Amino acid sequence: MSRSTIAIGRRGPARSYELVEAWGMAAGACSRVLRPRSVAEIAGVLEAARREGASVGLRGTGNSYGDASLNGAGHVLDLRRLNRILAFDRETGVVEAEPGVTIGELWKHVLPRGWWPRVVPGTMFPTLAGAAAMNVHGKNNYAVGTIGDAILDFDLVLPGGEVRTCSRTENSALFHAAIGGFGMLGVFSRLRLATKRVHSGDLEVRAIASRNLREMLEVMESRRSTADYLVGWVDCFPGGDASGRGLVHEARHLARGEDPDPAETLRLSHQDLPRSILGVFPKSEVWRVLRRFNRDLGMRAINAVKYWAGRFAALGEPFRQPLAAFSFLLDYVPNWKWSYGRAEGHGLIQVQSFLPAAAAHDVFLELLARSRRADLVPYLGVMKRHRPDPFLLTHGLDGWSLALDFKVTPARRAALWRHGAELTRIVLDAGGRFYLAKDLVLAPADVRRMYGPDALARFLSLKRELDPGSVLQTDLWRRLFPAAGQSSTGE
């Protein structure tokens, strides 16, 4: 039987052959997409793939910027149909859910009951399985860690069909390797995680302007012992003494009694933002306006307006903002990424580098300076503070991350990838790391430097033990682990 026609029977998962695109639109691949509705169907797909020598890549809602959920050489297992919340304990805030439940579906379930996810990324659309596979972090990473730190246990369907329950005490090695293991050791089929008790659906938010990168780091560092969330927006265009200028947003949860009407702010309706601007212009069309500015001159102007308006706003008092609005602001501008272009060869990539605290300032300044000299200025920069975590292939460290969004066009693609390689070398030379959920430019040698021989050997040993035929593969796996990324049939 052909590898493109996995035998799963009439009662098996729905399937279709389609173009699967990276979130950043700069990569894509045609694959047979399989959509299981049960753990049995997941196991059936893996068994058929193993028998036929085919490869299977895992995908949720496809929010990885790069090729983490693409599998041009085989099939894609789309887990979105397994999206039930199985249990929720109102007293402890512990949630048990299927892998296709999204961050948005999670918070909408728990918030009206007085709880909020401990860790959310900058978008509500990723699935819990995808978030666990990439070990996502949020604006409070320095305080509470990654989503893996909130996960209590999970069930993992191994490539051989066995379902293994993992926690910090049961199958501990696999627990710490599968979280952040980018879907290469098994398929999450159930996750149980802790959430945070909240007494309001609002946060108290303060904006603080910073004149340059050093001031931004000093502001964030001085406030991380008291703030629940910290994030910095960086204007990447100015140089000199203004290099790295931007705005810091500090937020804290309201204590019991601070919110005069918590019953109202905990309602889902309170979290909704208007779907139009001034009640007239629909936000679904904003990307078309942004597209007209999506070039160096336009983005320089937008960033300057944002910075000076932010300096003025920072003179005011703290304000209250719904949790969802603060956490997922860009989600309320539908398809904003389309402003980067929808034609073939267009899109965006993100280079998110993590640096130890002592090296972060100087290295980040160098990344920004080299980007300006190369005429490849990032249109968006985001700064966060981080802490280490116990997971095997982790990007976490005691330091900072700077996420840089670069516009991709056919004319500048080759230069941009060379520039990415140069930035990578600088970061790795300083003891830094990268985040595979965002990556599209790393090379195999970079991965070896980033993780070190011990962690990498332990991960690859687990891969050989649990998936000897290398059934689980993605384009990212083959790109970064070419020697290990071949199936038993050489696919």
Side-chain angles (χ1 to χ4, degrees):
M1 179 175 290
S2 166
R3 290 181 188 170
S4 64
T5 55
I6 282 184
I8 49 182
R10 290 185 179 180
R11 295 181 181 274
R15 58 201 186 277
S16 62
Y17 194 76
E18 56 197 72
L19 173 65
V20 181
E21 189 175 59
W23 188 88
M25 307 176 295
C30 286
S31 298
R32 177 64 61 87
V33 180
L34 305 150
R35 296 180 170 87
R37 292 158 294 194
S38 68
V39 174
E41 288 188 355
I42 293 174
V45 168
L46 295 175
E47 192 279 329
R50 189 173 64 254
R51 184 177 63 246
E52 297 168 15
S55 65
V56 175
L58 308 182
R59 185 177 176 88
T61 47
N63 279 268
S64 291
Y65 277 62
D67 52 3
S69 65
L70 307 182
N71 187 22
H75 306 275
V76 169
L77 195 62
D78 183 329
L79 297 170
R80 285 178 292 177
R81 291 191 174 191
L82 285 87
N83 63 348
R84 296 177 301 161
I85 292 179
L86 303 172
F88 175 63
D89 189 323
R90 292 174 180 246
E91 297 301 317
T92 64
V94 172
V95 179
E96 187 173 352
E98 289 184 321
V101 171
T102 66
I103 297 291
E105 289 165 341
L106 174 63
W107 75 255
K108 289 175 183 179
H109 186 86
V110 303
L111 183 62
R113 298 161 173 85
W115 298 86
W116 180 257
R118 288 193 182 180
V119 176
V120 298
T123 171
M124 70 176 80
F125 297 123
T127 62
L128 293 182
M134 291 302 182
N135 199 19
V136 301
H137 58 270
K139 301 175 182 71
N140 57 352
N141 183 260
Y142 61 91
V144 304
T146 62
I147 197 168
D149 288 299
I151 294 174
L152 303 176
D153 58 64
F154 56 77
D155 289 342
L156 198 69
V157 184
L158 302 181
E162 175 192 353
V163 178
R164 194 171 293 182
T165 299
C166 303
S167 69
R168 287 170 179 78
T169 56
E170 182 180 5
N171 296 310
S172 176
L174 184 53
F175 178 87
H176 289 94
I179 293 175
F182 55 100
M184 290 298 99
L185 300 179
V187 184
F188 292 104
S189 60
R190 180 196 63 86
L191 301 101
R192 198 167 63 95
L193 63 160
T195 61
K196 174 183 175 58
R197 170 72 78 180
V198 293
H199 304 290
S200 172
D202 283 344
L203 295 169
E204 183 178 87
V205 181
R206 181 188 295 272
I208 306 139
S210 55
R211 291 170 293 184
N212 52 45
L213 188 67
R214 183 172 297 283
E215 189 171 285
M216 176 176 287
L217 297 184
E218 289 173 350
V219 166
M220 294 177 71
E221 188 69 14
S222 69
R223 295 169 183 265
R224 71 185 180 106
S225 62
T226 55
D228 289 312
Y229 304 94
L230 284 166
V231 63
W233 167 79
V234 179
D235 180 359
C236 301
F237 281 95
D241 291 340
S243 184
R245 73 179 183 181
L247 303 169
V248 174
H249 282 93
E250 169 193 14
R252 69 171 183 87
H253 288 283
L254 301 183
R256 186 188 296 274
E258 281 192 273
D259 186 343
D261 192 0
E264 173 58 30
T265 62
L266 290 169
R267 293 180 188 273
L268 296 184
S269 59
H270 180 73
Q271 303 298 314
D272 291 336
L273 290 183
R275 296 186 178 183
S276 61
I277 299 173
L278 300 176
V280 177
F281 190 78
K283 287 188 176 179
S284 59
E285 298 300 310
V286 167
W287 71 269
R288 298 182 189 276
V289 177
L290 292 175
R291 183 173 61 180
R292 298 180 178 274
F293 292 90
N294 202 285
R295 51 186 56 85
D296 284 1
L297 184 61
M299 294 307 299
R300 181 187 288 272
I302 286 177
N303 282 6
V305 169
K306 178 179 174 70
Y307 174 71
W308 288 107
R311 286 196 70 88
F312 179 77
L315 299 175
E317 295 297 314
F319 57 95
R320 292 190 177 179
Q321 187 174 24
L323 275 158
F326 178 83
S327 303
F328 316 116
L329 183 60
L330 286 177
D331 286 350
Y332 290 93
V333 183
N335 300 315
W336 64 268
K337 66 178 182 177
W338 288 358
S339 66
Y340 282 83
R342 289 294 291 148
E344 184 177 356
H346 292 71
L348 71 153
I349 62 171
Q350 186 177 103
V351 176
Q352 185 173 15
S353 54
F354 294 70
L355 269 300
H361 174 265
D362 292 348
V363 174
F364 287 151
L365 280 185
E366 180 66 12
L367 301 186
L368 294 173
R370 289 189 181 236
S371 296
R372 290 191 293 270
R373 289 199 298 269
D375 199 24
L376 294 167
V377 179
Y379 289 173
L380 174 65
V382 177
M383 183 74 68
K384 297 192 191 85
R385 186 63 163 90
H386 296 271
R387 77 178 195 188
D389 62 66
F391 301 99
L392 187 57
L393 297 188
T394 181
H395 52 274
L397 43 67
D398 180 11
W400 302 84
S401 74
L402 178 60
L404 302 173
D405 283 9
F406 293 92
K407 182 177 181 177
V408 178
T409 66
R412 63 192 239 159
R413 188 181 184 100
L416 184 54
W417 258 250
R418 288 194 298 271
H419 182 60
E422 180 181 8
L423 300 187
T424 299
R425 177 187 58 78
I426 295 168
V427 170
L428 294 178
D429 284 349
R433 298 176 182 175
F434 292 90
Y435 183 36
L436 297 186
K438 305 290 184 68
D439 173 60
L440 199 55
V441 301
L442 291 178
D446 302 327
V447 171
R448 291 193 294 271
R449 288 188 67 188
M450 181 167 68
Y451 293 128
D454 179 61
L456 208 53
R458 288 159 59 195
F459 183 83
L460 294 176
S461 176
L462 273 172
K463 175 70 171 174
R464 288 190 296 269
E465 173 192 342
L466 302 176
D467 189 14
S470 201
V471 170
L472 294 174
Q473 295 190 35
T474 58
D475 289 0
L476 180 146
W477 168 254
R478 286 184 293 271
R479 172 168 60 90
L480 297 184
F481 300 86
Q486 306 300 314
S487 71
S488 58
T489 60
E491 181 175 68

